Structures are given as C-alpha cells and as structure tokens.
Amino acid sequence: MISFEYPLTILEKHLDTFGHVNNAVYLSLYEEARWDFITKGGFGLREIQEKKVGPVVLELNIKFSAELKNREDIVIHSKVLGMKNSLVMEMEQSMIKSDGTVASTMIIAFGLFDLNRRKLIPPTDDWKKAIGAES
C-alpha cells in the first residue's frame, strides 16, 4: 500500500482558547489531507460529481497524543490498511510534528458510495488507484 504525505503549518485559525489545535479541527485537517491525495490520484470532486460515486466515512477513532501549537510544521501521513469486508476499507492517518513526535493518530473506516443508488459499492479500480490500494 502507498503512503501519502501532506505537509502543513498550524495556523491561528486552527487554535482554540487553550492555544492549541481544537479537537474538531483535527478532523478537518485529516479530511483536507485525504482530499489532497485522492484529487492528485484522479478521484477529486469533479470526478465524483461526474461519476456520481464517492467516498463516505463510516467510522473513526482518533487519539490525541501531543499538543499542536501555533506555527508548528507537521506532516499528515495517510495509508490504507486494507479491507474490513467486501465494502468497507480502513485507513490510518497520523499527524507528525517536525521533531518526529506523533501528535495524533486516527483509524477511519470508509466506503465507496453510489450517489444514485444511495448505497455502498465495492471499490472500483479507479478508486483503489486514487487511495494507493491498487491490486
């Protein structure tokens, strides 16, 4: 499986009143990283709207291990772990600080959703390629 990296800098807009990244912002940043690599992999918003098929989050488990503070540079690592069943895949994402400290990890279960039929479908070859899970 391919691993993706998404570098970013923590900005003032990401902070809460404690001066560190708000818990809800972690989810937004993880999603931003996922959109980045699926778009680069040829399965971005345009393709989703054209094909009427796209990813849907089914479950997630997030762990916060170290604070992320203003103007810190981090990298979000993302990689598919495999299939949970014929329709559901798992991915691990981690936020790594510049000193190598893991600030957060998340395991996410997701599937490919047919927007017309309103149900999960098996992963297509195009989708597997976009998420680095080509067979």
Side-chain angles (χ1 to χ4, degrees), residues 78-96:
S78 306
K79 81 173 178 178
V80 172
L81 299 175
M83 300 294 296
K84 282 183 76 166
N85 59 46
S86 63
L87 299 175
V88 180
M89 304 179 97
E90 278 191 322
M91 174 180 289
E92 179 180 62
Q93 292 185 281
S94 302
M95 292 187 186
I96 312 296

Side-chain angles (χ1 to χ4, degrees), residues 33-64:
R34 290 191 308 274
W35 273 108
D36 181 67
F37 73 76
I38 68 170
T39 299
K40 288 175 180 172
F43 213 101
L45 185 59
R46 186 186 75 217
E47 290 81 11
I48 290 168
Q49 290 173 336
E50 287 173 3
K51 296 175 183 180
K52 303 288 187 221
V53 170
V56 62
V57 172
L58 302 169
E59 179 182 337
L60 55 86
N61 184 325
I62 189 167
K63 180 179 177 182
F64 307 103

Side-chain angles (χ1 to χ4, degrees), residues 74-130:
I74 67 167
V75 176
I76 298 177
H77 292 268
S78 306
K79 81 173 178 178
V80 172
L81 299 175
M83 300 294 296
K84 282 183 76 166
N85 59 46
S86 63
L87 299 175
V88 180
M89 304 179 97
E90 278 191 322
M91 174 180 289
E92 179 180 62
Q93 292 185 281
S94 302
M95 292 187 186
I96 312 296
K97 298 167 67 130
S98 59
D99 67 0
T101 302
V102 176
S104 170
T105 55
M106 182 174 74
I107 302 294
I108 182 170
F110 61 98
L112 195 59
F113 191 72
D114 183 311
L115 295 167
N116 290 324
R117 296 176 15 212
R118 310 302 295 171
K119 66 183 220 172
L120 290 176
I121 61 172
T124 63
D125 289 340
D126 288 346
W127 175 243
K128 288 191 271 189
K129 179 182 176 212

